[in-house]
PDB file of all heavy atoms in Angstrom:
ATOM      1  N   HIS A 284     100.033 148.511  89.569  1.00  0.00           N
ATOM      2  CA  HIS A 284     100.661 148.965  88.334  1.00  0.00           C
ATOM      3  C   HIS A 284     102.175 149.165  88.535  1.00  0.00           C
ATOM      4  O   HIS A 284     103.019 148.766  87.735  1.00  0.00           O
ATOM      5  CB  HIS A 284     100.016 150.198  87.749  1.00  0.00           C
ATOM      6  CG  HIS A 284     100.555 150.570  86.412  1.00  0.00           C
ATOM      7  ND1 HIS A 284     101.663 151.433  86.250  1.00  0.00           N
ATOM      8  CD2 HIS A 284     100.171 150.230  85.163  1.00  0.00           C
ATOM      9  CE1 HIS A 284     101.949 151.534  85.010  1.00  0.00           C
ATOM     10  NE2 HIS A 284     101.031 150.845  84.278  1.00  0.00           N
ATOM     11  N   GLY A 285     102.515 149.841  89.650  1.00  0.00           N
ATOM     12  CA  GLY A 285     103.919 150.119  89.892  1.00  0.00           C
ATOM     13  C   GLY A 285     104.709 148.913  90.170  1.00  0.00           C
ATOM     14  O   GLY A 285     105.854 148.753  89.668  1.00  0.00           O
ATOM     15  N   VAL A 286     104.173 147.954  90.884  1.00  0.00           N
ATOM     16  CA  VAL A 286     104.914 146.685  91.134  1.00  0.00           C
ATOM     17  C   VAL A 286     105.048 145.877  89.871  1.00  0.00           C
ATOM     18  O   VAL A 286     106.131 145.300  89.599  1.00  0.00           O
ATOM     19  CB  VAL A 286     104.177 145.858  92.231  1.00  0.00           C
ATOM     20  CG1 VAL A 286     104.798 144.495  92.397  1.00  0.00           C
ATOM     21  CG2 VAL A 286     104.198 146.632  93.552  1.00  0.00           C
ATOM     22  N   MET A 287     104.026 145.762  89.105  1.00  0.00           N
ATOM     23  CA  MET A 287     104.041 144.856  87.930  1.00  0.00           C
ATOM     24  C   MET A 287     104.743 145.493  86.731  1.00  0.00           C
ATOM     25  O   MET A 287     105.352 144.727  85.900  1.00  0.00           O
ATOM     26  CB  MET A 287     102.605 144.462  87.513  1.00  0.00           C
ATOM     27  CG  MET A 287     101.838 143.707  88.566  1.00  0.00           C
ATOM     28  SD  MET A 287     102.688 142.192  89.106  1.00  0.00           S
ATOM     29  CE  MET A 287     102.734 141.281  87.571  1.00  0.00           C
ATOM     30  N   ASN A 288     104.674 146.793  86.583  1.00  0.00           N
ATOM     31  CA  ASN A 288     105.216 147.396  85.328  1.00  0.00           C
ATOM     32  C   ASN A 288     106.260 148.488  85.538  1.00  0.00           C
ATOM     33  O   ASN A 288     106.743 149.055  84.597  1.00  0.00           O
ATOM     34  CB  ASN A 288     104.052 148.037  84.549  1.00  0.00           C
ATOM     35  CG  ASN A 288     102.961 147.024  84.240  1.00  0.00           C
ATOM     36  OD1 ASN A 288     103.269 145.880  83.870  1.00  0.00           O
ATOM     37  ND2 ASN A 288     101.667 147.414  84.331  1.00  0.00           N
ATOM     38  N   GLY A 289     106.656 148.745  86.820  1.00  0.00           N
ATOM     39  CA  GLY A 289     107.533 149.813  87.050  1.00  0.00           C
ATOM     40  C   GLY A 289     109.050 149.532  86.884  1.00  0.00           C
ATOM     41  O   GLY A 289     109.837 150.430  86.770  1.00  0.00           O
ATOM     42  N   SER A 290     109.402 148.274  86.961  1.00  0.00           N
ATOM     43  CA  SER A 290     110.814 147.939  86.900  1.00  0.00           C
ATOM     44  C   SER A 290     111.436 148.175  85.514  1.00  0.00           C
ATOM     45  O   SER A 290     110.770 147.931  84.519  1.00  0.00           O
ATOM     46  CB  SER A 290     111.007 146.473  87.318  1.00  0.00           C
ATOM     47  OG  SER A 290     112.370 146.116  87.165  1.00  0.00           O
ATOM     48  N   MET A 291     112.700 148.636  85.508  1.00  0.00           N
ATOM     49  CA  MET A 291     113.446 148.861  84.244  1.00  0.00           C
ATOM     50  C   MET A 291     114.412 147.751  83.953  1.00  0.00           C
ATOM     51  O   MET A 291     115.291 147.908  83.116  1.00  0.00           O
ATOM     52  CB  MET A 291     114.131 150.233  84.313  1.00  0.00           C
ATOM     53  CG  MET A 291     113.210 151.409  84.477  1.00  0.00           C
ATOM     54  SD  MET A 291     111.951 151.518  83.167  1.00  0.00           S
ATOM     55  CE  MET A 291     113.030 151.906  81.778  1.00  0.00           C
ATOM     56  N   VAL A 292     114.300 146.669  84.656  1.00  0.00           N
ATOM     57  CA  VAL A 292     115.213 145.522  84.428  1.00  0.00           C
ATOM     58  C   VAL A 292     115.052 145.013  82.972  1.00  0.00           C
ATOM     59  O   VAL A 292     113.915 144.818  82.532  1.00  0.00           O
ATOM     60  CB  VAL A 292     114.968 144.357  85.429  1.00  0.00           C
ATOM     61  CG1 VAL A 292     115.823 143.158  85.169  1.00  0.00           C
ATOM     62  CG2 VAL A 292     115.163 144.865  86.850  1.00  0.00           C
ATOM     63  N   GLU A 293     116.166 144.790  82.341  1.00  0.00           N
ATOM     64  CA  GLU A 293     116.107 144.320  80.894  1.00  0.00           C
ATOM     65  C   GLU A 293     116.028 142.817  80.856  1.00  0.00           C
ATOM     66  O   GLU A 293     116.622 142.148  81.668  1.00  0.00           O
ATOM     67  CB  GLU A 293     117.351 144.815  80.170  1.00  0.00           C
ATOM     68  CG  GLU A 293     117.422 146.316  80.026  1.00  0.00           C
ATOM     69  CD  GLU A 293     116.316 146.859  79.117  1.00  0.00           C
ATOM     70  OE1 GLU A 293     115.783 146.101  78.309  1.00  0.00           O
ATOM     71  OE2 GLU A 293     115.938 148.046  79.329  1.00  0.00           O
ATOM     72  N   PRO A 294     115.317 142.278  79.875  1.00  0.00           N
ATOM     73  CA  PRO A 294     114.481 143.023  78.956  1.00  0.00           C
ATOM     74  C   PRO A 294     113.177 143.470  79.696  1.00  0.00           C
ATOM     75  O   PRO A 294     112.562 142.699  80.423  1.00  0.00           O
ATOM     76  CB  PRO A 294     114.140 142.008  77.872  1.00  0.00           C
ATOM     77  CG  PRO A 294     114.207 140.719  78.559  1.00  0.00           C
ATOM     78  CD  PRO A 294     115.279 140.832  79.558  1.00  0.00           C
ATOM     79  N   ARG A 295     112.806 144.708  79.492  1.00  0.00           N
ATOM     80  CA  ARG A 295     111.669 145.284  80.250  1.00  0.00           C
ATOM     81  C   ARG A 295     110.401 144.606  79.737  1.00  0.00           C
ATOM     82  O   ARG A 295     110.166 144.387  78.560  1.00  0.00           O
ATOM     83  CB  ARG A 295     111.571 146.751  80.047  1.00  0.00           C
ATOM     84  CG  ARG A 295     110.458 147.395  80.840  1.00  0.00           C
ATOM     85  CD  ARG A 295     110.494 148.912  80.704  1.00  0.00           C
ATOM     86  NE  ARG A 295     109.492 149.533  81.595  1.00  0.00           N
ATOM     87  CZ  ARG A 295     108.226 149.825  81.187  1.00  0.00           C
ATOM     88  NH1 ARG A 295     107.919 149.577  79.926  1.00  0.00           N
ATOM     89  NH2 ARG A 295     107.377 150.378  82.043  1.00  0.00           N
ATOM     90  N   SER A 296     109.504 144.286  80.708  1.00  0.00           N
ATOM     91  CA  SER A 296     108.192 143.676  80.324  1.00  0.00           C
ATOM     92  C   SER A 296     107.103 144.431  81.048  1.00  0.00           C
ATOM     93  O   SER A 296     107.306 144.913  82.170  1.00  0.00           O
ATOM     94  CB  SER A 296     108.190 142.161  80.733  1.00  0.00           C
ATOM     95  OG  SER A 296     108.327 142.028  82.156  1.00  0.00           O
TER      96      SER A 296
END
Side-chain angles (χ1 to χ4, degrees):
H284 185 272
V286 172
M287 297 303 299
N288 301 323
S290 174
M291 298 302 293
V292 176
E293 294 295 335
R295 184 174 184 269
S296 62

